[in-house]
Amino acid sequence: MQISENLAYSRILAALQTQAKVIRSPTIIPELADHIACIIEFELAHEPDFDKALQQALEIVCPGGAAEIDENITLLLTFNFSDNMKRLFYGGLCTAFFFIGNGFMFRMLHWPGAGIVLFTGFMALLFVVTPMLITLLLNSLNRISGLELVQQSAAILGCLSFSLGGIFKVQHWPGANISLLFGMLALNVVFMPIFFYRTYKQSLSPAA
C-alpha cells in the first residue's frame, strides 16, 4: 500500500502518541518518529504493506511502548542530576568542615590566619552546602516522610543560621551570637536526634 511521505509520518506520530499517552521528554516523539521512519523504509523493501511495516518498526524500536523509553530517559537524566548534586553537596560539606575545624584549631592554638580559615569555611557552608540542601529537599518532597522533612528543614535552617553567625562573629558584626545560638539549637536539638534515630532504625531493618 503506497501512501505519501507526510501521511506516513503522521501515521507514525499518531502511533507513538497512542503508545506514549503521557510524555515528559518533549523531544522524544520526533526523534523516535525519525528513527522508525528509517526502519519502515527498509522494511517496505520486503513488506509492501505500510501497516505491517509500521508495526514491525514499533516492535523493533520500542517493544515496551514509547512511554517505557521516555520513562527510562527521564530516570537516567534524574539519576545523573541527583548524582551530580550529591557529589557537589558532599564536596562542599567536606570543604566547609575542613576549614571550620582547622579554623577553630588555629584559634585555640593562637596561630595566625584563624579568621581567614574560619571565614572560608563559613562561606562554603552558606553558599555551597545550604543551597544544595534546599535543592535536594525540593527534588525529594514527594518521596520523603514527615520526619525526614523536619530533619532536612532543620539542617537547612541550622546551616544557614550557623554559617551567618560564624561570618558575623569573624567580622565582629552585631547579632552573631543570636544567629549562632539559633543555628546550634536547630542542628543539635532537632536535626541530630532525628538523624541518629533514623540511622538507628535503618540499622535494625533487615537487609534486602
Side-chain angles (χ1 to χ4, degrees):
M1 181 176 62
Q2 299 294 329
I3 60 176
S4 66
E5 183 177 344
N6 290 337
L7 180 58
Y9 194 75
S10 299
R11 295 272 300 276
I12 295 171
L13 289 175
L16 288 173
Q17 292 288 358
T18 301
Q19 284 195 4
K21 296 181 181 178
V22 178
I23 288 292
R24 289 164 289 182
S25 303
T27 60
I28 188 175
I29 291 295
E31 292 177 358
L32 285 177
D34 291 338
H35 189 50
I36 289 173
C38 294
I39 296 177
I40 290 177
E41 185 177 358
F42 175 79
E43 292 291 337
L44 286 176
H46 308 283
E47 175 57 66
D49 191 329
F50 179 83
D51 291 328
K52 292 182 178 179
L54 173 60
Q55 189 61 37
Q56 290 174 358
L58 288 172
E59 291 176 358
I60 293 173
V61 175
C62 43
E68 181 182 6
I69 296 179
D70 176 62
E71 182 178 353
N72 291 335
I73 291 175
T74 303
L75 179 63
L76 180 62
L77 293 175
T78 303
F79 174 79
N80 287 337
F81 174 76
S82 178
D83 196 41
N84 291 331
M85 290 292 292
K86 288 179 180 178
R87 286 197 187 98
L88 183 59
F89 166 70
Y90 286 116
L93 188 65
C94 179
T95 301
F97 280 102
F98 173 81
F99 279 98
I100 292 173
N102 282 283
F104 280 121
M105 182 182 69
F106 276 41
R107 176 147 292 184
M108 286 187 296
L109 296 175
H110 303 287
W111 290 350
I116 297 175
V117 176
L118 280 171
F119 184 81
T120 304
F122 287 127
M123 291 292 284
L125 190 64
L126 178 62
F127 290 107
V128 179
V129 177
T130 303
M132 291 299 100
L133 283 172
I134 295 173
T135 304
L136 291 171
L137 175 61
L138 293 177
N139 288 335
S140 61
L141 275 178
N142 298 327
R143 304 190 302 271
I144 61 176
S145 62
L147 187 63
E148 191 172 357
L149 177 61
V150 173
Q151 174 191 328
Q152 294 191 23
S153 300
I156 292 170
L157 292 175
C159 287
L160 180 63
S161 297
F162 181 71
S163 57
L164 283 174
I167 293 172
F168 278 39
K169 194 73 172 177
V170 171
Q171 298 296 326
H172 304 289
W173 293 340
N177 291 335
I178 296 176
S179 185
L180 281 171
L181 178 62
F182 182 80
M184 293 303 296
L185 285 174
L187 292 173
N188 292 335
V189 178
V190 182
F191 171 77
M192 294 301 290
I194 297 177
F195 173 77
F196 285 115
Y197 171 77
R198 293 184 63 248
T199 303
Y200 171 71
K201 293 289 287 186
Q202 290 175 0
S203 69
L204 295 181
S205 300

